[in-house]
Structures are given as C-alpha cells and as structure tokens.
Amino acid sequence: MSETVQEIVVGVDELREFVCALYREAGLSEDHAELVAEFQVETDLRGVYSHGTRHAPSYIEQILAGNLKPDPEITVLREGGAYALFDGDNGLGHVASALAMRTAIEKAKSTGIAAAGVRNAGHFGAAACFTMMAADEKMIGFATTNTGGPSVVAPGGADRVVGNNPLSYALPAGEEPPIVLDMACGVSAWGKILTMNMYGQPVPKEWFLGGDGKTVNDPSEGHLMMPAAGPKGYGLAVVMGILAGPLVGGLMACHALQEPSKHFFIAINVSSFTDFHAYAAEVDRGIRTVRASKTVEGVDQVYLPGEIEWRKREEWIENGVPIHVEHLRALAEMGNRLGVEVFW
C-alpha cells in the first residue's frame, strides 16, 4: 500500500475480499457476494470508479433499509429457444443480470443469437461487465439498462424526457484484447460527474441546463443533462430506454419515476455466422491498423474502445489499484458498521 496526494493504492485481492465480506455481512449468499464483489473490483481495475466498489456502501444501505433484497428468488417469466425474461425479485441487479447474460450465451451456442431481459431488479453497475462475459465465450455481447427515470433533455428541449441509459458492446478479438464500448447516452455518466467532483475537476458548462433552459456548470442547479452528440445521443437514449423498458415490461423513461431497474442483453455467437479464427484475425489486423494510424500534434497514439481501460487493468492487477481516499473512507465506514476489518 502506498499513498499519493488523493489516492491510496490497494491490493486487488484484498479489496475483493473486503467488499465480498461487506456483502456477506449484509445478508448476501457467498456466491452472490463473490459475484458482485468481482464485478465491482473488475470495474475499478478498468478505472471506471463511478460504477465499481464506490457503489457498495449505497447498495448495502438500500439492503439494510429493506429497499433491496439480499437473497432474491430470481424467476423465469418467459422463455423460448433464443430468449428469456427474468424477474430479479428486487435484488441487486448484478445477480439477475449475470444469470440473464449466461442464459443468452448458452442459448446462442445453438441458436446463433439470443437475448435476455431482466425486470424488477436493482442497478447493475457497469454494462461492460456483462458484455465481456460474452466476449470471453467468443461471442459479441450487448447490454443496456434503464436508469429509473428521466434525466436527459431532448435537443432543443428543457425538460427531462429520456434516461441516461448506458449501452455496451464487447467484441472478441484473437491475440488482441477485445474491443469494449461502454458509454452513456448523455454527455456523461452521472457517476462520472461525482468522480470529477471528488477529484476537484471542473464540469464543462455545456453539459447541463438550468431550469430556465440556460447552460450551468453545477448539475445541482438544474439536473438537466445534455445528450451525447446532440440528436445522436438522444436517439440512442430513446432506443435503449425501449429495449430496457417497454420490451421487458417496463415504462418509457419519461413515465418512469424511480421504478425498479430493467436490463437487456444480447449474445451473438460469431462461429454461427463465420469462421471464428478468420474473424479474429481480421479484427486483430484492424486493431493494429487503427492503433498505428497517424495522429495530430501532441497525441502519441489513437486507441480502440476499451483499450485504455484494458491497459489500466493490466498494470493495476499487478501493482494494485489507486483509489481516492474519500472512496476508501466510505468503504471503511461501512466496514466498521458491519464489523468487517479494514485492511488499508
């Protein structure tokens, strides 16, 4: 463990074991505690702190308050050869979502492509966790979720009408790491705004509107987020909100006020469409061509989606993950509350 100005570097295994212990003490089964801790630590390893272990205290607070179930009875509501729909029984979204993606992957082995949805579950963390499950099986993964209500305006609008829904694709390669796109449809993930505040980074003024329809620097003044890339991000948010909304028995974001989350997943079996080795070789070749492309002045290299995160993971899994002291303080406070020994 070493300390910098704002961060402490912690061992990956120790962090995983600590967070797992928190969830066990909160009432999760060993398997579920391990699963959620694994997803959250992997997300920290990729540098996506907004969706990793920083969420653990808030999830546990919801469990202790009786707003989320620690031991949900997940059930299948509908199922066919290439699809399934699950009820998450108001448990943590990670658990039902992992089951849904595993189900889609298994079905896609014979059907070529399969989809699965989840209703009545909590926040599921980083969408990339689930798409990378598919990439690990030599499949293309897709995931999206709703966000419990609208927070993003339409271009030219000054009312919240769509959710800041994320979408993720993970595409397997061969010798190269997978291409992993994980993005919000708004100009930023809300969790990233909190991370920026934690590190003292300014929020660009053009990201938010106040109640009068004018841009503001402080999201608390209006809480109206702009869509990413204007009409493009807005259009994606509408589509994601339907996939993880009415399609799985939920509502459009403009009608959803803090309803339980909905999630949607697709797995595409590459070998059902083409020879996987030929596919992987061409993806590898494309990755290397993009990586070697010319850059503008002051830029050393261009990156594929998810490549920066992959490099962080490769470094930090060996040397530990740097985490902000406020992030660790919240984890330590929950550890003290639940009787879990803090190791840093």
Side-chain angles (χ1 to χ4, degrees), residues 81-82 103-114 139 267-269 272:
T103 300
I105 290 168
E106 287 303 311
K107 289 180 179 293
K109 290 178 180 178
S110 57
T111 62
I113 182 170
M139 296 188 186
I268 303 171
N269 189 357
S272 293

CSV table of all heavy atoms in Angstrom, one decimal, residues 81-82 103-114 139 267-269 272:
chain,number,residue,atom,x,y,z
A,81,GLY,N,-36.5,-20.7,-27.3
A,81,GLY,CA,-35.2,-21.2,-27.7
A,81,GLY,C,-34.1,-20.2,-27.8
A,81,GLY,O,-33.0,-20.5,-27.5
A,82,ALA,N,-34.5,-18.9,-28.0
A,82,ALA,CA,-33.5,-17.9,-28.2
A,82,ALA,C,-33.8,-16.6,-27.3
A,82,ALA,O,-33.3,-15.6,-27.6
A,82,ALA,CB,-33.4,-17.4,-29.7
A,103,THR,N,-27.5,-17.1,-19.6
A,103,THR,CA,-28.6,-17.8,-20.3
A,103,THR,C,-28.5,-17.4,-21.8
A,103,THR,O,-28.7,-18.3,-22.6
A,103,THR,CB,-29.9,-17.4,-19.7
A,103,THR,OG1,-30.0,-17.7,-18.3
A,103,THR,CG2,-31.1,-18.1,-20.4
A,104,ALA,N,-28.3,-16.1,-22.1
A,104,ALA,CA,-28.3,-15.8,-23.5
A,104,ALA,C,-27.1,-16.4,-24.2
A,104,ALA,O,-27.2,-16.9,-25.4
A,104,ALA,CB,-28.2,-14.2,-23.6
A,105,ILE,N,-25.9,-16.5,-23.5
A,105,ILE,CA,-24.8,-17.1,-24.1
A,105,ILE,C,-25.0,-18.6,-24.3
A,105,ILE,O,-24.7,-19.1,-25.4
A,105,ILE,CB,-23.6,-17.0,-23.1
A,105,ILE,CG1,-23.1,-15.5,-23.1
A,105,ILE,CG2,-22.4,-17.9,-23.5
A,105,ILE,CD1,-22.1,-15.2,-22.0
A,106,GLU,N,-25.6,-19.3,-23.4
A,106,GLU,CA,-25.9,-20.7,-23.6
A,106,GLU,C,-26.8,-21.0,-24.7
A,106,GLU,O,-26.7,-21.9,-25.5
A,106,GLU,CB,-26.4,-21.3,-22.3
A,106,GLU,CG,-25.4,-21.5,-21.2
A,106,GLU,CD,-24.2,-22.3,-21.6
A,106,GLU,OE1,-24.5,-23.5,-22.2
A,106,GLU,OE2,-23.1,-21.9,-21.4
A,107,LYS,N,-27.9,-20.1,-24.8
A,107,LYS,CA,-28.8,-20.3,-25.9
A,107,LYS,C,-28.2,-20.0,-27.3
A,107,LYS,O,-28.5,-20.7,-28.3
A,107,LYS,CB,-30.0,-19.4,-25.7
A,107,LYS,CG,-30.9,-19.9,-24.5
A,107,LYS,CD,-32.1,-18.9,-24.3
A,107,LYS,CE,-33.0,-19.4,-23.2
A,107,LYS,NZ,-33.7,-20.7,-23.5
A,108,ALA,N,-27.3,-19.0,-27.3
A,108,ALA,CA,-26.7,-18.6,-28.6
A,108,ALA,C,-25.7,-19.7,-29.1
A,108,ALA,O,-25.4,-19.7,-30.3
A,108,ALA,CB,-25.9,-17.3,-28.4
A,109,LYS,N,-25.3,-20.6,-28.2
A,109,LYS,CA,-24.4,-21.7,-28.7
A,109,LYS,C,-25.1,-22.5,-29.7
A,109,LYS,O,-24.5,-23.1,-30.6
A,109,LYS,CB,-24.0,-22.5,-27.5
A,109,LYS,CG,-23.0,-21.8,-26.6
A,109,LYS,CD,-22.5,-22.7,-25.4
A,109,LYS,CE,-21.5,-21.9,-24.6
A,109,LYS,NZ,-21.2,-22.7,-23.4
A,110,SER,N,-26.5,-22.6,-29.6
A,110,SER,CA,-27.2,-23.4,-30.6
A,110,SER,C,-28.1,-22.6,-31.5
A,110,SER,O,-28.3,-23.0,-32.7
A,110,SER,CB,-28.1,-24.4,-29.8
A,110,SER,OG,-29.0,-23.7,-28.9
A,111,THR,N,-28.5,-21.4,-31.1
A,111,THR,CA,-29.4,-20.6,-31.9
A,111,THR,C,-28.6,-19.6,-32.7
A,111,THR,O,-29.2,-18.9,-33.6
A,111,THR,CB,-30.4,-19.9,-31.1
A,111,THR,OG1,-29.8,-19.0,-30.1
A,111,THR,CG2,-31.3,-20.9,-30.3
A,112,GLY,N,-27.4,-19.3,-32.4
A,112,GLY,CA,-26.6,-18.3,-33.1
A,112,GLY,C,-26.7,-16.9,-32.4
A,112,GLY,O,-25.7,-16.2,-32.3
A,113,ILE,N,-27.9,-16.5,-32.0
A,113,ILE,CA,-28.1,-15.2,-31.3
A,113,ILE,C,-29.2,-15.4,-30.3
A,113,ILE,O,-30.2,-16.1,-30.6
A,113,ILE,CB,-28.4,-14.1,-32.4
A,113,ILE,CG1,-28.6,-12.8,-31.6
A,113,ILE,CG2,-29.6,-14.5,-33.2
A,113,ILE,CD1,-28.6,-11.6,-32.6
A,114,ALA,N,-29.1,-14.8,-29.2
A,114,ALA,CA,-30.1,-14.9,-28.1
A,114,ALA,C,-30.1,-13.7,-27.3
A,114,ALA,O,-29.1,-13.0,-27.2
A,114,ALA,CB,-29.8,-16.2,-27.3
A,139,MET,N,-18.1,-14.6,-28.2
A,139,MET,CA,-19.3,-14.1,-28.7
A,139,MET,C,-19.3,-12.6,-28.6
A,139,MET,O,-18.5,-12.0,-27.9
A,139,MET,CB,-20.5,-14.6,-27.9
A,139,MET,CG,-20.7,-16.1,-28.1
A,139,MET,SD,-22.3,-16.6,-27.3
A,139,MET,CE,-22.1,-18.4,-27.4
A,267,ALA,N,-26.5,-11.9,-26.9
A,267,ALA,CA,-25.2,-12.6,-27.2
A,267,ALA,C,-25.3,-13.1,-28.6
A,267,ALA,O,-26.3,-13.7,-29.1
A,267,ALA,CB,-25.1,-13.8,-26.2
A,268,ILE,N,-24.2,-12.9,-29.4
A,268,ILE,CA,-24.1,-13.3,-30.8
A,268,ILE,C,-23.0,-14.2,-30.9
A,268,ILE,O,-21.8,-13.8,-30.7
A,268,ILE,CB,-23.9,-12.0,-31.7
A,268,ILE,CG1,-25.1,-11.0,-31.5
A,268,ILE,CG2,-23.8,-12.5,-33.2
A,268,ILE,CD1,-24.8,-9.7,-32.2
A,269,ASN,N,-23.2,-15.4,-31.3
A,269,ASN,CA,-22.2,-16.4,-31.5
A,269,ASN,C,-21.5,-16.2,-32.8
A,269,ASN,O,-22.1,-16.5,-33.9
A,269,ASN,CB,-22.8,-17.8,-31.4
A,269,ASN,CG,-21.8,-18.9,-31.4
A,269,ASN,OD1,-20.6,-18.7,-31.4
A,269,ASN,ND2,-22.3,-20.2,-31.2
A,272,SER,N,-21.4,-19.0,-35.5
A,272,SER,CA,-22.6,-19.3,-36.2
A,272,SER,C,-22.7,-18.6,-37.5
A,272,SER,O,-23.4,-19.0,-38.4
A,272,SER,CB,-23.8,-19.0,-35.3
A,272,SER,OG,-23.9,-19.8,-34.2
